[in-house]
Amino acid sequence: MKTDNRQMKKEISNRRKKRNELRRLLLAFEIAVGAFFIAVGLFIWNVIPMTAENLDTGMYKVEAETNSKTETEPENETESETESETELETEKETEAETESETEPKHEQWMPHGEYEVALLAEVMYAEVGTIGEMYGLTDDEVELAHKFVGSVVLNRIASNRFPGDMWGVIFQPMAYASRTRDMITNGCTELIPKETFEWAEELLDDGPLGPPTLVFQAEFIQGETYAHIGNQYFCLLAE
């Protein structure tokens, strides 16, 4: 009997424990469900009105953006037209500059390059490079003497009585002193002043000074004297 009572008490105690555990589980479940619904309510309360506001604001923004695009489109079109016109003007200016650079300023009297300019400057310097110091000439007289020497060379090239190229004229036998030919052969470019090259290029561009018959230059008279500078006589060929 005692054993039976003990077993019954244990079973009753176990049942009570199970009921208490079940109640605790149900209470925890109810608490969890309540918290869930409270969270859902708060979410609906806070989020949905904000979403509506956002929708209204978004619609307003879309309308505003549409209006701003409509307003700025003519401005953009005007700007693009202005840019295209500016680009066309720039292209025309560039083409005009390129044409002006490629086209010679005027027709050259004798087609030439650096070689012809240097060779003519060398013979000019070799013949009268020190004439100014020797005879106390002015700068204008020195320039004129140099240009007359170059003019004689160019007139000889153009004449059918002399060789038709600059090298042939300079090195024609008995034409120029051996000192002049030696200076040109050995090279005297580094001794020549800058303005001598400029005078030589000017003659090649614009043509020689004096008449075409100005083909003699020496320390003595060889025909009708056209000019006399220092110890140099520049004379004309008798026709």
Side-chain angles (χ1 to χ4, degrees), residues 62-153:
V62 170
E63 292 178 357
E65 289 177 357
T66 305
N67 294 332
S68 63
K69 287 180 180 179
T70 306
E71 293 175 356
T72 55
E73 279 177 359
E75 295 179 358
N76 292 335
E77 291 177 357
T78 305
E79 290 177 357
S80 62
E81 291 176 357
T82 305
E83 289 177 356
S84 61
E85 291 176 357
T86 305
E87 290 177 356
L88 288 174
E89 290 178 357
T90 305
E91 289 178 358
K92 290 180 180 179
E93 291 176 357
T94 304
E95 290 176 357
E97 290 176 357
T98 303
E99 290 176 357
S100 63
E101 289 177 357
T102 54
E103 294 178 357
K105 294 180 180 179
H106 58 275
E107 186 177 355
Q108 296 176 347
W109 185 86
M110 174 180 172
H112 61 274
E114 293 181 359
Y115 169 77
E116 288 78 12
V117 174
L119 188 57
L120 186 60
E122 286 176 348
V123 68
M124 290 163 62
Y125 177 76
E127 286 290 298
V128 293
T130 59
I131 193 172
E133 299 173 0
M134 293 175 62
Y135 296 94
L137 303 180
T138 64
D139 292 341
D140 291 339
E141 290 173 330
V142 171
E143 178 181 351
L144 196 58
H146 280 74
K147 287 185 176 179
F148 275 137
V149 172
S151 297
V152 168
V153 173

Side-chain angles (χ1 to χ4, degrees), residues 173-235:
M174 307 300 292
Y176 288 91
S178 59
R179 174 180 174 276
T180 297
R181 295 196 298 269
D182 290 343
M183 288 183 67
I184 295 172
T185 304
N186 296 327
C188 59
T189 306
E190 65 278 1
L191 303 175
I192 302 174
K194 179 181 177 182
E195 57 267 20
T196 306
F197 292 101
E198 295 174 354
W199 297 335
E201 188 169 14
E202 183 179 338
L203 290 174
L204 290 166
D205 283 338
D206 302 333
L209 304 180
T213 55
L214 181 62
V215 294
F216 295 122
Q217 170 249 319
E219 295 181 4
F220 51 89
I221 298 174
Q222 293 178 300
E224 182 183 352
T225 301
Y226 181 79
H228 177 212
I229 303 175
N231 65 336
Q232 296 296 315
Y233 291 88
F234 301 94
C235 300

Side-chain angles (χ1 to χ4, degrees), residues 12-60:
I12 292 169
S13 176
N14 290 333
R15 288 177 182 177
R16 287 177 179 175
K17 289 179 180 180
K18 290 180 179 180
R19 287 176 183 175
N20 292 333
E21 290 178 359
L22 182 60
R23 288 176 181 175
R24 290 174 184 171
L25 290 174
L26 289 173
L27 180 60
F29 178 76
E30 289 176 356
I31 293 171
V33 171
F36 173 77
F37 282 108
I38 290 171
V40 171
L42 292 173
F43 176 80
I44 294 172
W45 179 264
N46 293 323
V47 174
I48 290 179
M50 290 177 65
T51 305
E53 291 178 359
N54 291 336
L55 288 173
D56 293 338
T57 307
M59 292 177 64
Y60 174 76

